[in-house]
Amino acid sequence: MIVTTKELFKAAYGKYAIGAYNINNLEQTMGLFRGNIQSKAPFIIQISKGARSYTNKLMLEGIIRSADQVFPEAVFAVHLDHGDEETCMDCINSGFYSSVMIDASSKSFDENIAITKRVVDAAHAKGLVVEAELGQLGGVEEHVNVSEADAKLTDPNQAKEFVTRTGVDSLACAIGTSHGAFKFTGTQGLHFDVLAEIQKRLPNFPLVMHGSSSVPQDEVARINAAGGKLLGAKGVDDNQFRKAATLGVTKINIDTDGRLVWCRVHREHFMKHPEDFDLRPAGKEFMAAYADFIAAKNVKLGSANQLDDVRKMLGI
Ligand code: G3H
Ligand code: 13P
Ligand code: ZN
């Protein structure tokens, strides 16, 4: 059943974080639903601008609607990840999404507020929930290519002003993470001090942590052993998710880790079966491996085994 992120945040705030997982295709969707049902977790499906145009935005919509029928016990929100104003408006008017992220974090503070406010007004008029971003993550991905050098942590005082002036429902904060597989070059970690200051100014307000893939080192080693070349890949320690949750982080975004699972399964499969050219055997292995990955990640987030309570809270 598709619900809003607001409803999920209400159930989770301060106790655990909801996993927000990006999808691009059928196999990811299947693995995602199986993993969340396996671990009895509510979850958020994220669709980026790139994912919407990978095939056609209606294809993903169709796949998700079908998954909702195939897995009637699933409780999830459908969320636009890193939207610009135009894409947000398209999603708001589509009648399919339950929430959108407007990412105007590269603009000035006042411009970010003005753009976010327009999106909030349009979204709230139709019952949708809005996430915005303040501060800048370092990153290597296509649409969020902010150089590590320019990365700016979120200013807690600005965060309060931003939320008050925009009426936004949740806020993505820059606390030291970045997108992609190469997050840290040394011993950097999460800035819990910044999170604590933001929570002090915005009590009970859901915060979002982007760039939260953990880039498991065994996964990286297996990819490299099967012909890959991921040198120095490093991610966030997922044992820190629960602490982040107590400081108000209610949504944790994970995309890169799923791509690593895909890459490892396919590299190993075709190395082990060089005679194989069929897409289904490797696809089946991927769906099973991705489901196991999601189930294990939900344990780290604390969202595993919360599904019954969430269903009760929603009266479904
Ligand atoms: O934060 C960005 C997400 O990982 C989505 O990546 O724009 O390549 O789909 P993408
Ligand atoms: P990762 O690249 O760490 O998976 O982050 C994904 C993300 O923040 C999506 O918005
Ligand atoms: Zn992100």
Side-chain angles (χ1 to χ4, degrees):
M1 178 178 191
I2 300 178
V3 299
T4 68
T5 43
K6 201 170 195 156
E7 291 166 303
L8 298 181
F9 293 163
K10 197 171 148 205
Y13 187 90
K15 293 180 282 193
Y16 61 92
I18 309 277
Y21 301 103
N22 291 64
I23 59 152
N24 293 270
N25 66 11
L26 171 68
E27 287 79 5
Q28 272 183 315
T29 310
M30 202 64 189
L32 181 62
F33 275 79
R34 280 187 191 158
N36 283 300
I37 294 307
Q38 217 169 288
S39 57
K40 293 182 175 295
F43 61 105
I44 297 168
I45 298 182
Q46 303 211 114
I47 304 175
S48 72
K49 202 176 160 187
R52 279 161 57 89
S53 61
Y54 171 54
T55 52
N56 180 294
K57 61 186 181 185
L58 295 179
M59 296 294 282
L60 279 181
E61 193 177 318
I63 289 171
I64 293 168
R65 283 193 198 282
S66 300
D68 192 21
Q69 290 186 321
V70 174
F71 299 94
E73 62 276 55
V75 175
F76 60 99
V78 182
H79 176 77
L80 168 69
D81 189 28
H82 290 286
D84 51 27
E85 190 171 355
E86 190 189 344
T87 312
C88 282
M89 296 305 181
D90 190 52
C91 292
I92 290 166
N93 293 324
S94 75
F96 176 61
Y97 289 72
S98 41
S99 60
V100 294
M101 176 193 188
I102 172 68
D103 182 357
S105 59
S106 62
K107 310 279 188 203
S108 71
F109 184 61
D110 283 326
E111 243 182 305
N112 190 354
I113 288 179
I115 296 167
T116 300
K117 176 96 176 63
R118 285 200 292 273
V119 171
V120 167
D121 289 346
H124 285 181
K126 295 211 169 184
L128 273 82
V129 177
V130 181
E131 172 185 331
E133 179 166 323
L134 184 65
Q136 284 181 287
L137 281 76
V140 292
E141 302 222 353
E142 214 180 351
H143 300 296
V144 280
N145 202 351
V146 185
S147 86
E148 202 56 61
D150 289 333
K152 281 196 290 155
L153 301 184
T154 303
D155 176 328
N157 290 323
Q158 278 197 341
K160 177 156 174 77
E161 187 184 340
F162 186 90
V163 169
T164 310
R165 285 174 59 188
T166 58
V168 76
D169 304 286
S170 64
L171 187 67
C173 301
I175 55 159
T177 64
S178 61
H179 293 100
F182 303 89
K183 300 184 190 301
F184 307 114
T185 47
T187 52
Q188 309 99 313
L190 305 185
H191 289 257
F192 286 119
D193 51 334
V194 175
L195 262 186
E197 289 302 316
I198 297 171
Q199 193 192 33
K200 230 188 262 171
R201 288 160 182 78
L202 291 167
N204 296 314
F205 186 81
L207 306 176
V208 180
M209 200 163 92
H210 282 245
S212 305
S213 279
S214 53
V215 190
Q217 291 305 295
D218 57 328
E219 203 75 277
V220 172
R222 285 173 74 175
I223 288 171
N224 289 343
K229 215 172 185 180
L230 298 180
L231 304 176
K234 202 169 171 190
V236 174
D237 178 359
D238 55 12
N239 291 312
Q240 300 197 312
F241 288 171
R242 299 301 289 270
K243 181 169 177 190
T246 63
L247 293 171
V249 171
T250 319
K251 170 173 178 277
I252 291 192
N253 287 14
I254 298 168
D255 181 9
T256 296
D257 280 347
R259 299 181 190 207
L260 292 174
V261 174
W262 182 92
C263 179
R264 184 257 299 168
V265 165
H266 287 81
R267 278 193 178 280
E268 286 185 346
H269 177 87
F270 287 107
M271 197 155 99
K272 217 155 80 195
H273 306 282
E275 74 294 348
D276 196 1
F277 58 88
D278 189 356
L279 71 157
R280 287 194 299 245
K284 278 185 182 171
E285 274 180 44
F286 168 70
M287 288 187 275
Y290 193 47
D292 288 345
F293 162 79
I294 295 287
K297 195 54 75 175
N298 290 338
V299 172
K300 297 288 185 182
L301 293 164
S303 62
N305 296 314
Q306 300 289 345
L307 189 56
D308 289 344
D309 280 357
V310 168
R311 294 188 71 94
K312 227 179 275 162
M313 185 197 89
L314 294 170
I316 52 175

